[in-house]
Amino acid sequence: MYRFLLSRQWVILTLVALVLIPVMIELGFWQFHRHERRVAQNTLIADNLKAGPVPVEELTSPGHVVPRADYWRQVTATGTFDTAHEVVVRRRTSADDRVGAHVLTPLVLRDGRIVLVNRGWVPGAANQRDYPEVPPAPGGEVTVTGRLKADETTGASGIKDLKGLPDRQVMLISSSQQAELIGREVLGGYVEQTGPSAAGGSPEQIPAPDHDSIGAHMAYAVQWWLFAAGVPVGWLVLVRREKRDREAAGDDTPQETPEATQEDDGAIQATSPR
């Protein structure tokens, strides 16, 4: 009755179904793990933003790699801006997706060490090789508050660290690179400034990261698992339909009755020569 399952067509169909089931299950878990990571990151951001600010020197030092647990920690830094070594970070977007640059200004701390401060976004120059118009940093000693961030890398950001850029323009925020250019000790990571606000609203300070949205990863995971469950159900439906069609085709085949056979034999005998 089910010998048709041994046909080439059905063997291939069954093998495809057997491959699809674990693949879809794995894709579901992949989306589920992405959901878990998003939830964990949102929790980390919310907790670190709620925590009271601490001096930046307590969380980082020259050559230090900022761990994920300290991302977005509220920090303070007191010192004097070194505008002579200020650079802009190319190809950065504003909160409303305008392309421009981030202004990265070294802040010389009281002990002589430096922490990089991302003061915010400014529009790019008409010619990409020109230095954009950057409002001057405050003079004298200032206390900056902001969010601690790790050094940017190509692997983590996907941004290529291009060479041969115009003077005072960079692609990535890297404390080690800036330490070589400045010739002084630079604390690992950088501070994303949130206060005080810039005069005239420029540079535009970077908004806090989104930590409310969890995306659609969980919905995608459920969809993949439903697809995996639907594969064997669909296979069974096709098998039953094939069996029913074959049975129907067999019932429609004309069959000879005994009476018809006897009549045919009599006709043959009647016409046979003696």
Side-chain angles (χ1 to χ4, degrees), residues 14-31:
T14 303
L15 291 175
V16 170
L18 292 175
V19 170
L20 285 177
I21 292 173
V23 169
M24 290 179 175
I25 292 174
E26 185 62 28
L27 287 171
F29 278 111
W30 172 60
Q31 289 290 351

Side-chain angles (χ1 to χ4, degrees), residues 44 48 59 64-72 148 150:
L44 174 65
N48 285 352
L59 297 180
H64 178 73
V65 178
V66 178
R68 176 162 287 275
D70 288 338
Y71 286 14
W72 305 286
L148 182 63

Side-chain angles (χ1 to χ4, degrees), residues 53 55 75-81 107 109-110 117 138-146 191 193-197:
V75 295
T76 60
T78 301
T80 306
F81 280 116
L107 182 70
L109 304 175
R110 290 172 176 172
V117 177
E141 187 174 84
V142 295
T143 297
V144 172
T145 59
V191 176
Q193 183 175 344
T194 58
S197 299

Side-chain angles (χ1 to χ4, degrees), residues 81-96:
F81 280 116
D82 177 12
T83 55
H85 293 100
E86 184 175 76
V87 298
V88 293
V89 190
R90 294 162 56 100
R91 300 180 185 175
R92 300 304 167 105
T93 56
S94 64
D96 54 359

Side-chain angles (χ1 to χ4, degrees):
M1 186 179 300
Y2 292 99
R3 289 180 62 85
F4 63 86
L5 293 176
L6 299 178
S7 66
R8 180 181 179 184
Q9 175 185 356
W10 274 97
V11 169
I12 293 175
L13 181 62
T14 303
L15 291 175
V16 170
L18 292 175
V19 170
L20 285 177
I21 292 173
V23 169
M24 290 179 175
I25 292 174
E26 185 62 28
L27 287 171
F29 278 111
W30 172 60
Q31 289 290 351
F32 178 70
H33 293 322
R34 294 187 68 186
H35 168 78
E36 288 185 318
R37 288 193 296 270
R38 185 65 177 270
V39 171
Q41 176 169 297
N42 287 351
T43 302
L44 174 65
I45 295 173
D47 291 344
N48 285 352
L49 292 180
K50 290 178 183 177
V54 298
V56 67
E57 301 93 329
E58 293 185 9
L59 297 180
T60 185
S61 58
H64 178 73
V65 178
V66 178
R68 176 162 287 275
D70 288 338
Y71 286 14
W72 305 286
R73 281 288 303 272
Q74 301 259 52
V75 295
T76 60
T78 301
T80 306
F81 280 116
D82 177 12
T83 55
H85 293 100
E86 184 175 76
V87 298
V88 293
V89 190
R90 294 162 56 100
R91 300 180 185 175
R92 300 304 167 105
T93 56
S94 64
D96 54 359
D97 294 329
R98 290 174 294 158
V99 178
H102 284 172
V103 181
L104 191 66
T105 310
L107 182 70
V108 183
L109 304 175
R110 290 172 176 172
D111 61 5
R113 295 183 299 176
I114 289 175
V115 63
L116 302 176
V117 177
N118 185 347
R119 295 201 290 130
W121 179 90
V122 294
N127 185 337
Q128 289 190 4
R129 297 194 64 83
D130 292 340
Y131 196 81
E133 185 177 344
V134 176
E141 187 174 84
V142 295
T143 297
V144 172
T145 59
R147 299 179 286 263
L148 182 63
K149 300 290 291 291
D151 287 330
E152 297 177 342
T153 63
T154 298
S157 66
I159 302 173
K160 293 183 179 180
D161 191 11
L162 302 177
K163 305 301 179 183
L165 296 176
D167 188 35
R168 300 174 63 193
Q169 298 188 37
V170 297
M171 296 299 300
L172 297 171
I173 302 177
S174 170
S175 60
S176 59
Q177 288 183 3
Q178 294 305 309
E180 292 180 5
L181 295 173
I182 300 172
R184 300 175 67 172
E185 288 189 327
V186 178
L187 305 186
Y190 65 98
V191 176
E192 201 171 71
Q193 183 175 344
T194 58
S197 299
S202 183
E204 296 179 14
Q205 292 181 352
I206 301 170
D210 175 24
H211 57 282
D212 294 323
S213 172
I214 59 174
H217 301 302
M218 191 63 189
Y220 293 151
V222 173
Q223 286 179 0
W224 280 118
W225 290 332
L226 289 176
F227 291 156
V231 169
V233 173
W235 184 86
L236 287 173
V237 170
L238 292 176
V239 168
R240 295 186 64 179
R241 180 180 298 174
E242 180 77 6
K243 175 178 175 292
R244 185 172 61 250
D245 292 346
R246 288 175 178 268
E247 289 177 344
D251 292 341
D252 292 341
T253 302
Q255 297 182 359
E256 295 181 344
T257 61
E259 292 79 2
T261 303
Q262 292 175 0
E263 292 177 358
D264 291 343
D265 291 343
I268 294 172
Q269 294 176 3
T271 56
S272 298
R274 295 186 178 275

